[in-house]
Amino acid sequence: MRNKISSTITKAVFPIAGLGTRFLPVTKASPKEMLPIVDKPLIQYAVEEAYAAGIRQMIFVTGRTKRAIEDHFDTAYELESILEYSQKQQLLESVRNVTPDDMHCMYVRQNRTLGLGHAILCAEKLVGDDDFAVILADDFMIAEQPVMAQMVEQYKRLQKSIIAVQNVPRTQTNLYGIVSGSEVQPGLFGMNNIVEKPLPDEAPSTMAVVGRYILAATIFEELRNQQPGIGGEIQLTDGIASLLKKERVFSYHFNGKRYDCGSKIGYLKAVVDIACSHPEVSGSFNSWLKNKVQSTHAQTTKQNQSDYFA
């Protein structure tokens, strides 16, 4: 029997042991979570989102080739000394702000990549008895109020597991975990089913699970009791389905925009959109982008006219 300690969320788990094969060869020796969105890596955006939600304990489930992430959140004494000596105060502050003084980073190895559920299990001893957040860094999200902060607000009232969802085209249900349920208030649903990657004609809805979760600590028992599936993997979706039989679980249609930075096209869209609003480069980048679009349009029009009169 677990005794929940806190009525809010104080810990976030970041499963980062994946191989990032869709970005090879760049991910051969560098984590995909360190791919930059202009000047900050994906994992830093994810940690900042957790921090903005009041979370201070960051738990990273790592694997081989992930040392760069530990280094990123460590103190870089030599770099800070050089920046301080060179009087580059703004850059110095940006380096120091990566890890605020009241933020604590912990690391645990996932020796074999046996699914998201297995990654969560690896964090059990560090999480303890508290309910906790899970953030997938390659699901890059931007919102006026950070998505995890939205979910923590819901959790403070519900004290139950909450899964972030968004609507997807029915043709894409086979790419996601899909949930169904009844709306209890705008954007919040009491779940009654969750299915991993159903075919479009078998999907119970088009509400897809995306990379933000608040999970009851009771999920660990459900994950331990799951039978491994294809490739010996333990799926988090299966654990949530088991949990749903014993206690209430909610899905939350968040306010914000998601980029699938596990795919090349999603990553490129994120880079362009963030660059368009970045305080340092937005002016020159938007000017370049406008000229690029106009030039491409002119070339396409000229080619179409050439083909027409050929």
Side-chain angles (χ1 to χ4, degrees):
M1 175 69 70
R2 291 177 179 269
N3 296 310
K4 185 167 61 175
I5 298 170
S6 176
S7 61
T8 189
I9 300 299
T10 62
K11 300 169 184 174
V13 174
F14 302 86
I16 56 172
L19 298 176
T21 53
R22 284 189 283 182
F23 281 90
L24 285 170
V26 71
T27 50
K28 179 183 177 183
S30 178
K32 68 176 179 178
E33 295 84 5
M34 288 299 292
L35 290 171
I37 304 293
V38 184
D39 54 4
K40 289 194 294 191
L42 284 167
I43 189 63
Q44 185 174 337
Y45 281 101
V47 168
E48 288 177 352
E49 182 181 331
Y51 190 89
I55 297 169
R56 295 295 181 266
Q57 298 180 57
M58 314 298 177
I59 301 169
F60 301 89
V61 183
T62 72
R64 291 186 65 253
T65 76
K66 304 293 180 170
R67 179 60 187 269
I69 293 174
E70 295 186 40
D71 290 343
H72 183 71
F73 290 104
D74 199 357
T75 303
Y77 293 104
E78 183 179 15
L79 175 60
E80 290 186 14
S81 296
I82 292 171
L83 293 174
E84 192 166 21
Y85 179 78
S86 304
Q87 297 185 337
K88 296 180 177 179
Q89 192 62 33
Q90 188 172 355
L91 288 175
L92 178 61
E93 289 304 312
S94 71
V95 170
R96 286 177 172 169
N97 289 339
V98 168
T99 311
D101 291 340
D102 61 344
M103 189 176 88
H104 305 284
C105 296
M106 296 168 279
Y107 302 88
V108 60
R109 276 286 187 118
Q110 183 183 17
N111 294 324
R112 293 183 295 165
T113 51
L114 296 178
L116 181 56
H118 180 261
I120 302 304
L121 268 177
C122 291
E124 181 177 10
K125 289 185 179 179
L126 293 178
V127 170
D129 294 336
D130 275 339
D131 298 349
F132 62 101
V134 175
I135 297 181
L136 307 187
D138 54 5
D139 265 351
F140 176 61
M141 298 185 183
I142 56 173
E144 185 173 341
Q145 180 186 22
V147 173
M148 185 49 66
Q150 296 176 39
M151 295 176 68
V152 167
E153 280 189 4
Q154 296 288 342
Y155 173 83
K156 287 178 180 178
R157 181 172 57 84
L158 299 168
Q159 296 292 299
K160 296 292 183 182
S161 297
I162 307 171
I163 316 300
V165 295
Q166 68 172 35
N167 260 312
V168 298
R170 183 162 285 277
T171 54
Q172 296 180 12
T173 59
N174 62 321
L175 303 176
Y176 298 89
I178 300 294
V179 308
S180 62
S182 302
E183 192 168 32
V184 296
Q185 67 178 56
L188 186 70
F189 300 79
M191 284 173 50
N192 56 36
N193 194 15
I194 181 169
V195 184
E196 179 69 11
K197 299 180 179 178
L199 295 174
D201 58 351
E202 298 174 355
S205 78
T206 56
M207 297 295 286
V209 176
V210 293
R212 301 293 184 274
Y213 309 78
I214 291 177
L215 297 174
T218 47
I219 191 68
F220 292 121
E221 182 179 357
E222 305 307 321
L223 292 171
R224 279 195 300 273
N225 292 330
Q226 290 303 310
Q227 292 297 318
I230 297 173
E233 293 192 347
I234 299 174
Q235 297 295 342
L236 179 57
T237 301
D238 294 336
I240 294 171
S242 295
L243 186 66
L244 189 56
K245 297 174 183 177
K246 300 177 180 179
E247 58 187 71
R248 293 200 78 183
V249 178
F250 293 86
S251 61
Y252 176 66
H253 194 285
F254 61 91
N255 296 311
K257 185 171 183 178
R258 167 186 171 261
Y259 300 85
D260 177 11
C261 288
S263 71
K264 290 172 184 166
I265 188 65
Y267 171 72
L268 292 171
K269 288 178 180 179
V271 171
V272 170
D273 279 359
I274 295 303
C276 284
S277 59
H278 192 280
E280 183 181 342
V281 303
S282 60
S284 56
F285 183 78
N286 282 317
S287 177
W288 172 85
L289 187 61
K290 180 180 179 181
N291 291 334
K292 177 68 175 176
V293 170
Q294 291 174 342
S295 174
T296 301
H297 177 71
Q299 290 176 4
T300 301
T301 302
K302 184 177 179 180
Q303 183 62 49
N304 289 342
Q305 291 173 344
S306 177
D307 291 343
Y308 179 80
F309 290 108

